[in-house]
Structure formats: structure tokens, C-alpha cells
Amino acid sequence: MKVLIIGGVAGGASTLARLRRLDEKAEIVMVERGKYISFANCGLPYHIGGVIKNRENLLVETEQGLEQKFNVDIRVETEAVKIDREKRTVILKNLNTGVEYEESYDKLVLSPGSVPFIPDLPGINSRRVHSLRNMSDMDGIIEYINTHKVKKALVVGGGFIGVETAENLFERGIDVAIVERAPQILGQFDWDFAQMAHEQLADHGIKIYMETSVVGFEEVPNGVKVVLDDDSNLEAQLVILSIGVIPESKLAIDADLEIGHKGAIVVNENLLTSDPDIYAVGDAIQVTCKIRNKPVLVPLAWGANRQGRLCADNICGMDKKFSPQLGTSILKVFDYTGASTGLNAWNLDKAGIKYNTVVATRNNHAGYYPGALPMMLKLHYAEDGTILGAQGFGIDGVDKRIDVLATAIKGNLKAWDLQDIEVAYAPPFNSAKDPVNILGYMAENRKLGMEESITWKELAEIKDKVQILDIRTSAERSLGHIDNDIHIELNDIRSRINELDKDKEYIVYCAMGHRGYIAFRILKQYGLNVRNLIGGYKLYKYAFSSFEPKEVAAKKNKEYIEKTIDISKRIELDACGLQCPGPIMKTKEAMETLDNGQLLEVKASDPGFKKDVYHWADSTGNQVIETSFENGIVTAILQKGTGRTKNIGLTVEKNGQTIVVFSGDLDKVLASMIIANGALAMGKDVTLFFTFWGLNALRRKGTRVKKPLLEKMFGAMMPEGVDELKISKMNMGGMGTALMKSIMQEKNVDSLDTHLASFLKNGGKIIACTMSMDVLGITKDELIDGIEYAGVASYLGEAEKASSNLFI
């Protein structure tokens, strides 16, 4: 049997390798129009950006290597010109000599791939306009960048390859923008998830011109003018077209094979064309969409490789069928990952498929294990539970969740079956309830009628007809909220239930949706008409935000650093795994050990540290030289004593902070300590005045002191130290307190005794009110070390030096 394969790379090379493993005696000939028989075309942008430094690493197999390994005949730079189906021959042309000749076959495999779509526009043939599809394209772009010292580029098209190309041009130090005809980039995602990618690109200074088309190119000195459909124009030194691909099906069309969707070659389940002796694989064929059961194009590497293997199986007499595809895909957007499988909302709406949606925001692994990073997952599913599509966006762990969800669709699992998937768990890798499990729990709640929800899009349409209720904390609300809402914190809902009108419909929201569900359950059981906002305020804010490109701090300060500072002499501080205000406190402690002008490099896994460190530096007279964010870690380089403190003037600034700790409730004492440690980190002189029930937080557990019977009985009724304090609300006989401590541990929030020890270690002052001690029968021997004993006069003296005073 003689098999002729036209085209290499994924589909053709996979067919060749599998075929030889199955049939040692078959005569196998492969022809490839390009210079390279098998290369990693998905890696091309990353060599342009210098991430993949060695060009040779992109060459998966060489012509000589394949010939020696598999005993086959490979001919590169050879083009298939015409197929004669009756004679079962193909006219081949040697592109180096121009000589044409005839090659026979028993079975023919077409793997011609696809080619970039190049629109017929004025100036499209400019030497400054390139496309990226193969090694030669990549080499040409790199040579052009180096030769012309390109500093400004434009990418036309915001699909996966366009975004990856833009990122890698940025990594080369090139100012880059994207022009995209659609209302968003990355059409595989819903608008709100695409917005997360918009934000990342904007944070790296990349401008996106959406709903904009290129209508022509004009050469200008040292560049090209890109004319847009709104009569505006942009200038660049380099333009890279990334506006999609089309099947390379001309050979099949000329051979009168059946052609289908968007010019692709029609094949059956066995990858046979309309000719029983001709197979086709890869980007040039149409496949079936598993969700819609309709023909689609899925020009991705997984499908081509799978098709190549099955094609060889079928040539050798097996009956192997290629399954319908989901189009599962993934990309890197700087430090973030976006991935999807199945259909998004736009395609579901277009197909007229009704669906439900759930969104889960969880960490990639246990929160108490250092380096936990958030991700967001979205699931679309039909009323009967059939999973229709899923998307994910985050820093780490998105890939394996989308892989699990793609497997679930393939296995015909229902949405609520996801809660039963048993995943591997250990704190460095996962949480005991995986984010995929959470999606299943949400879907079951919906199925059982335990939650009613609303999307941000639906809310926008009825916003004036409902009452929106924010149940977040006041601190969260201060960072933004939905217009015309009302605010009742979750913990206060039961006590303020009479303020809510049962004749109104309420839409509750929290940060990400979980607490909103708890509020929904409370309000529903009190008889209110209520729904929970899917994805909470975070997803709502993404949906309605506009992201403008920012000047990147690292690029802005690079020249200053190189000219004025020996960065190799910096002191390094690892604050990873700490929650706010931990990283700032560690920064303060380390900075106090440095001399003016010295550098401190701080690494923290708390994403908020990137903004917090600027506020801290402004308040303490230090300077942030550079910040960066990579692989979920914030790195900040600070220089001691080179900044200006705020509020500098002729008057003496009060730099104290006093807090009266009256309460003995765990949550209130903890709030006091968090504020106190934060104030310490900001350089303030902090005094805590513990009085009445607050004194119980300072007691030693198990201390035995001789007292009168009445005082001993009174002391026995009060908690001994921080471990016995209860929360002020929802204590539930101690269950609520235990739950809160468990959540604090999971979220890596320091315990109260740790906060107390840290406060004293860093110079904070604690005064125990002697009058209250006398009233409650508490002696000095019962209290912890390192504190002072005084009355209200001492406290008032400290308060005089304070800029503010709190009573808790």
C-alpha cells in the first residue's frame, strides 16, 4: 500500500508516525510546501517576544529525523498542484527547480492546513504589513524589527494569536496597540470575562480600538499610516495581521471534492472525503460542534493531532470515528490565564438555546497555604443540566479546571454532577471543595429552588424597577458600589429586616456572590421577593468598566534605576503568604533597619500590596522605585528616605493613634488589633487602652490567683484570654465563633494572639485600665506580659498626641 500525505505539521506528521507504527511495509511519501515538515506554530509569538529563546526548539521534527526514524520519503519545498482522482495520481512541483512530476497513491491524505485571511485593502502589500502563520513569517517579523529598530507596532485582530502577539511585542519593549472589529477581543469569552483581558492589556499600556475596522494602509516616512473606518488613522512602524484563517482547500476544490462550511473540506466520522481513497485532516476540514451538532471550523492543534492518528487507523482497516469538538482553548495574557470550552453566551443566544449560568470565584488552592490566588469560573448549562460551555480567568489553576469541565461535557455529566467529581486535594494544590465542585453545588441549589439569581445584563434592564441591596461591609462599599442601592451589612440583616418592604423586589449583591447567596436565603425565608446577583459586584464592575492604557511603572522608572541606583545592593524581604496588613508591617520593620538611600525589595502574594505600598511610602517619606506583578507575586523596590511625606507644613503634625478597647467580643477586639497594627505600619505611635470587658482579651489562660470568693466567681464567668472570646453576632452557642476561626485560618488571616504579639513587638503600647481591673477583680498576675497599668489620665495624655481616637 502506498500512502501519499500532502502537508506536514500537526495533522500530516501525526498521520505519518501512526501509520508507520501500524504498518512497517507501507510505502509512505510526504510532501510539504514549506521548508519545515513539523514545527510548533503555537510557539511562534513567544520566540518573537524572546520567551522561547532558541529558534531550533520550535522544530518538533526535522526532515532527516523523520526519514531515519520512520523509513519514509519526505520532500520539503514541494507543492501539490493537481489531483487526478481517476488515475489516483497527484502532480507535484519542486519549488526550487520548478520541475513538475506525477506521483501515484493508493490512499491520499490531505493536510494542507489553513492560511491567514488577507483582506483586499489598499496598501496591504506594504513591506511593513506582515502576517504570522509559519517559521518564515516569524523570521521575517524578527528581522524587520531588528533591522528597522521598531518601537511602535499595531496588531490587527484581537483573537488568541493577536493577543499573544501583542503581548510578545510589548515584551520586546515595543509600544503596541490592537485594532478589533468586534465589540470585544477574544470572542470565545463572554463580554465580562473578556473585560478581564482588556484590563490586563490596559495595565501594560496596550490600547485596544474596538468596533473598529482597518480600511487601508498608506506609506509614510519611517512607517505606515493605518486608515480606520471612522476616517481616523494610526501610525506604526510595523503592522501584524491576525484577523483569522481560512481553510487551504483549493486543491480539494479543483479535485471536485465536497466542500462545506466556510470553504472547508467535508469529511465523515472516519475522516474520509467524498472520495473513498482520499482522507483529510487538520485546519482544512470542517468538524461537528458537540453542543449545536452543526459544522464548524476548529483550527486548533489538539484536533489536528487526534485526526492524524485516527486517519492512520482507518487507512489500516480500523473503524475509528472522530468525535464532535468543543473548541477547548487557552491563552496567556501576561500573568493571567484565560480558558474556555463549549459555547459562550453570545453563541448560545444566536443558536436560540436557553441556558442557566453560575459563577464561582475561589482560590487556586487552600487559602491558608501561602500564595493562594483567586480565579473566576463561569458555567452555562441547560435546564436539564446539560453543560453547554465554561470559561475561566485567573492567575493559576484555570487550566486544570477547564480541562475537568471539558471532560465533564465529553462524559455527558450534568451541571449538578460536578459536585460529585472527586479531585486530588492537598493544601498546596487545591481546596477540599474544588472550584469545579462549587459550580456543581450552585447548579444544584438552582435546581432545588434554593437560589434565584440575576445576571448583570438582566439587572441593567430592570434596574429602575427593583431595589438593589448591598450586603457587603462598609469598608468594601467605600471602594465602589452600584448606583441607587441601599446598604445593610449581611450580619445586620436579621435585626433590620423590618426596614425592608415586602412589596418590593430586592436584588442582593456582595463582592463575588457567595455572601449574596447567604443573604438570599435569609430574606427568602422572611418572605421577601429577592434574587442574588451572579458574580457579585466584581463581575458587575468588570461588565461596566472602561480600561484605559496605563503607563507601566517598570518601564517608566527603568532608566532612572539604571543611571542612579545600584540595584544589586538591595535588601530582600519575603512577605508572601501574609494577608493585609502583614506585608506592610513587614515592610515597616525591614525599612527601620536600613540607612537612608538603601533599597528594599519586597515580595508579597497579597494583590492589594501593589497599591498599598504606594500609600505607605507616601505617608512615611520613602519612595517606591518600581513595582511588578508576575506569577501572582507583587514585587516592590523601595528606597528609604527619598520621598516626601504627606501634610508637611509649619505646624507640628500629630502622629499618634489611640484606641479604647471596651468590648470583649472576638471580632471587635480583632478589628481593634488590625487597625492598630496597620497604624503602626504607617509610622504612627499607637496606644491601646483596654477597659472593662476588653481586659478579658489580655488575660492569661489557667492562671490561679488567690481572691475573695465573690471575685473568684465573677472571674470564672468571664473568658480567660483570646481563645475564649466569642463573636458578637451569630455565635450560635460557639459554632459561629469556631466557624469564624476556621475561615480566618483558611484565608490566612492572623489569629488574635498573633496580632497582639506583633503589636507589642513592633513598639505598640497597651494600657490596662486599673480602675476596671479593680471593679472586675482582675489582678496584674492574670494579664499578659509587656503591658502598662494606668488610669484614664494616662490614656487622655496619649489621646492629646493622637490625630484620631477610636472607641471599640
Side-chain angles (χ1 to χ4, degrees):
M1 177 175 62
K2 181 178 181 181
V3 180
L4 176 60
I5 303 173
I6 298 175
V9 196
S14 296
T15 304
L16 177 148
R18 176 67 170 174
L19 190 58
R20 175 55 78 216
R21 292 195 296 270
L22 295 175
D23 188 347
E24 181 62 24
K25 296 182 179 180
E27 181 183 354
I28 304 173
V29 178
M30 175 185 281
V31 298
E32 166 61 43
R33 184 168 52 190
K35 292 181 180 181
Y36 305 101
I37 199 70
S38 183
F39 62 92
N41 52 4
C42 295
L44 300 180
Y46 296 100
H47 182 57
I48 292 175
V51 178
I52 299 174
K53 298 188 182 303
N54 190 343
R55 178 183 182 278
E56 303 307 308
N57 289 346
L58 295 173
L59 300 177
V60 180
E61 290 282 2
T62 63
E63 176 188 357
Q64 295 76 16
L66 276 178
E67 286 184 331
Q68 291 172 3
K69 188 186 299 183
F70 294 110
N71 187 27
V72 294
D73 180 2
I74 297 178
R75 307 168 195 175
V76 296
E77 296 184 282
T78 299
E79 182 178 9
V81 177
K82 184 179 180 181
I83 300 172
D84 189 327
R85 291 168 55 188
E86 289 186 8
K87 293 171 59 179
R88 289 199 294 188
T89 60
V90 178
I91 302 297
L92 302 178
K93 180 179 180 180
N94 186 313
L95 297 178
N96 290 319
T97 64
V99 174
E100 293 186 358
Y101 59 95
E102 192 174 73
E103 191 74 40
S104 64
Y105 66 85
D106 295 315
K107 299 295 180 183
L108 177 64
V109 179
L110 301 180
S111 179
S114 57
V115 293
F117 173 63
I118 308 296
D120 184 16
L121 298 176
I124 194 72
N125 295 319
S126 168
R127 62 192 176 92
R128 304 182 191 276
V129 179
H130 297 249
S131 60
L132 179 60
R133 189 62 181 168
N134 54 40
M135 296 285 287
S136 297
D137 293 339
M138 177 192 73
D139 292 340
I141 291 170
I142 293 173
E143 181 183 4
Y144 188 87
I145 290 173
N146 293 336
T147 302
H148 295 83
K149 296 180 173 51
V150 172
K151 295 298 181 185
K152 191 170 186 178
L154 182 71
V155 175
V156 182
F160 277 36
I161 299 299
V163 170
E164 290 169 348
T165 301
E167 176 182 338
N168 281 281
L169 290 172
F170 171 87
E171 295 295 350
R172 289 188 65 111
I174 296 173
D175 183 7
V176 59
I178 298 174
V179 172
E180 169 56 51
R181 183 175 62 180
Q184 68 175 68
I185 62 171
L186 303 175
Q188 290 89 336
F189 293 100
D190 291 345
W191 162 255
D192 44 18
F193 271 54
Q195 279 279 76
M196 300 177 198
H198 294 163
E199 180 184 43
Q200 288 307 305
L201 293 169
D203 281 351
H204 288 81
I206 297 176
K207 174 74 173 178
I208 308 172
Y209 298 88
M210 291 184 288
E211 296 187 272
T212 303
S213 295
V214 175
V215 296
F217 304 91
E218 298 177 12
E219 291 279 349
V220 295
N222 301 317
V224 60
K225 182 167 70 174
V226 183
V227 184
L228 306 179
D229 58 357
D230 60 0
D231 295 328
S232 65
N233 58 75
L234 303 169
E235 286 195 13
Q237 294 168 279
L238 170 68
V239 175
I240 297 181
L241 302 177
S242 182
I243 47 182
V245 296
I246 56 177
E248 179 68 285
S249 53
K250 183 178 185 303
L251 194 64
I253 293 171
D254 292 344
D256 202 26
L257 296 175
E258 184 179 354
I259 302 299
H261 183 65
K262 295 185 177 180
I265 303 169
V266 175
V267 295
N268 66 12
E269 292 177 317
N270 300 109
L271 300 166
L272 264 175
T273 68
S274 52
D275 185 309
D277 294 317
I278 302 178
Y279 293 81
V281 298
D283 292 1
I285 70 171
Q286 70 175 35
V287 297
T288 302
C289 170
K290 178 174 175 61
I291 306 300
R292 291 173 293 187
N293 195 32
K294 290 183 178 181
V296 291
L297 301 182
V298 184
L300 297 172
W302 180 88
N305 279 280
R306 178 65 177 154
Q307 292 155 15
R309 180 184 177 92
L310 297 180
C311 178
D313 289 348
N314 289 320
I315 289 173
C316 291
M318 304 182 193
D319 182 17
K320 293 291 188 71
K321 293 178 170 55
F322 182 69
S323 302
Q325 284 195 255
L326 292 170
T328 305
S329 53
I330 191 167
L331 87 159
K332 173 182 176 293
V333 189
F334 291 98
D335 295 308
Y336 282 74
T337 300
S340 69
T341 188
L343 300 184
N344 64 7
W346 186 85
N347 280 304
L348 289 169
D349 290 336
K350 184 180 178 182
I353 301 173
K354 294 183 178 180
Y355 59 94
N356 294 313
T357 302
V358 289
V359 174
T361 303
R362 292 294 189 276
N363 287 333
N364 63 322
H365 60 60
Y368 56 82
Y369 187 86
L373 300 166
M375 73 175 75
M376 188 174 284
L377 296 177
K378 177 187 283 191
L379 188 79
H380 296 309
Y381 63 97
E383 195 66 36
D384 66 355
T386 300
I387 303 174
L388 304 171
Q391 299 158 49
F393 204 86
I395 297 171
D396 184 51
V398 173
D399 53 345
K400 71 177 181 179
R401 272 69 185 204
I402 289 297
D403 288 345
V404 169
L405 291 167
T407 305
I409 299 175
K410 174 68 177 176
N412 296 316
L413 297 185
K414 301 296 186 182
W416 35 82
D417 292 333
L418 298 176
Q419 60 190 316
D420 289 323
I421 293 179
E422 184 180 357
V423 297
Y425 163 64
F429 307 104
N430 206 342
S431 297
K433 290 188 288 188
D434 186 86
V436 171
N437 296 143
I438 299 298
L439 292 173
Y441 292 134
M442 290 178 166
E444 184 182 56
N445 284 340
R446 225 46 94 63
K447 176 186 177 184
L448 298 177
M450 295 179 63
E451 183 186 21
E452 299 168 38
S453 59
I454 187 171
T455 66
W456 56 264
K457 191 174 183 179
E458 293 168 335
L459 176 58
E461 296 173 355
I462 62 168
K463 199 173 177 182
D464 297 333
K465 302 176 183 177
V466 296
Q467 179 61 67
I468 303 171
L469 173 59
D470 180 3
I471 56 91
R472 299 173 300 159
T473 65
S474 296
E476 291 174 283
R477 183 174 174 81
S478 68
L479 300 176
H481 62 92
I482 299 175
D483 293 340
N484 301 319
D485 63 353
I486 59 174
H487 180 226
I488 301 177
E489 291 192 20
L490 175 62
N491 290 347
D492 296 332
I493 282 182
R494 291 182 181 88
S495 63
R496 298 177 60 183
I497 198 75
N498 292 332
E499 298 177 26
L500 302 179
D501 187 346
K502 289 189 176 182
D503 293 330
K504 291 184 178 180
E505 179 182 4
Y506 288 89
I507 306 299
V508 297
Y509 75 92
C510 63
M512 301 171 188
H514 177 60
R515 285 173 294 165
Y517 168 64
I518 296 173
F520 168 86
R521 294 300 306 155
I522 295 170
L523 296 174
K524 195 70 176 177
Q525 292 177 77
Y526 275 95
L528 275 82
N529 181 12
V530 60
R531 284 187 280 175
N532 183 26
L533 179 62
I534 293 174
Y537 183 68
K538 182 174 183 179
L539 201 59
Y540 181 92
K541 188 176 179 180
Y542 269 120
F544 294 102
S545 292
S546 177
F547 301 108
E548 290 299 321
K550 300 175 183 176
E551 193 172 0
V552 183
K555 290 179 68 177
K556 180 180 179 182
N557 292 306
K558 186 176 181 182
E559 184 177 346
Y560 167 74
I561 294 169
E562 290 175 346
K563 286 183 177 180
T564 63
I565 299 173
D566 185 354
I567 203 167
S568 66
K569 294 182 180 179
R570 65 192 183 279
I571 305 300
E572 296 181 357
L573 170 65
D574 185 358
C576 292
L578 299 176
Q579 295 282 359
C580 176
I584 287 294
M585 292 173 62
K586 288 286 187 182
T587 301
K588 173 185 177 294
E589 292 173 14
M591 194 66 84
E592 287 175 347
T593 67
L594 304 184
D595 297 326
N596 279 353
Q598 277 192 281
L599 293 180
L600 177 68
E601 179 183 274
V602 187
K603 292 185 180 294
S605 54
D606 174 16
F609 179 69
K610 189 173 183 180
K611 292 181 179 179
D612 291 345
V613 71
Y614 281 97
H615 294 300
W616 178 83
D618 285 345
S619 300
T620 56
N622 300 297
Q623 184 180 12
V624 178
I625 301 299
E626 176 185 353
T627 60
S628 62
F629 186 73
E630 185 173 1
N631 297 325
I633 303 297
V634 178
T635 300
I637 297 178
L638 301 95
Q639 190 172 33
K640 182 170 180 177
T642 56
R644 291 186 59 196
T645 56
K646 290 181 178 178
N647 301 320
I648 295 177
L650 298 177
T651 59
V652 177
E653 183 181 355
K654 292 184 177 182
N655 197 41
Q657 174 69 63
T658 52
I659 301 175
V660 177
V661 185
F662 176 86
S663 172
D665 295 325
L666 172 64
D667 45 341
K668 295 179 181 178
V669 177
L670 179 62
S672 304
M673 296 310 307
I674 291 174
I675 295 169
N677 278 317
L680 267 185
M682 298 297 286
K684 290 182 177 293
D685 299 320
V686 185
T687 299
L688 297 180
F689 186 70
F690 281 79
T691 183
F692 279 95
W693 314 116
L695 289 167
N696 290 312
L698 304 179
R699 295 178 72 189
R700 300 178 193 268
K701 186 172 178 63
T703 303
R704 296 293 174 258
V705 178
K706 288 186 177 182
K707 297 182 183 180
L709 179 61
L710 190 61
E711 290 184 6
K712 185 178 290 188
M713 291 176 61
F714 197 54
M717 291 186 291
M718 296 187 297
E720 285 188 322
V722 294
D723 288 339
E724 293 189 2
L725 300 185
K726 310 297 183 185
I727 58 176
S728 60
K729 298 181 184 296
M730 299 175 66
N731 184 46
M732 299 178 290
M735 290 179 59
T737 300
L739 178 61
M740 180 177 177
K741 289 182 177 179
S742 174
I743 293 172
M744 287 172 61
Q745 185 179 27
E746 181 180 343
K747 299 296 185 182
N748 204 24
V749 176
D750 286 338
S751 62
L752 180 51
D753 54 349
T754 301
H755 275 289
L756 271 168
S758 178
F759 179 75
L760 291 170
K761 176 185 174 184
N762 290 296
K765 182 189 292 186
I766 291 179
I767 299 176
C769 175
T770 51
M771 182 275 294
S772 299
M773 290 172 61
D774 190 44
V775 170
L776 299 178
I778 297 175
T779 68
K780 293 181 180 180
D781 292 335
E782 292 179 84
L783 301 186
I784 62 175
D785 295 331
I787 63 176
E788 300 178 17
Y789 301 90
V792 68
S794 295
Y795 154 68
L796 291 173
E798 295 293 336
E800 281 290 324
K801 297 181 285 184
S803 58
S804 65
N805 178 56
L806 300 176
F807 184 94
I808 298 178

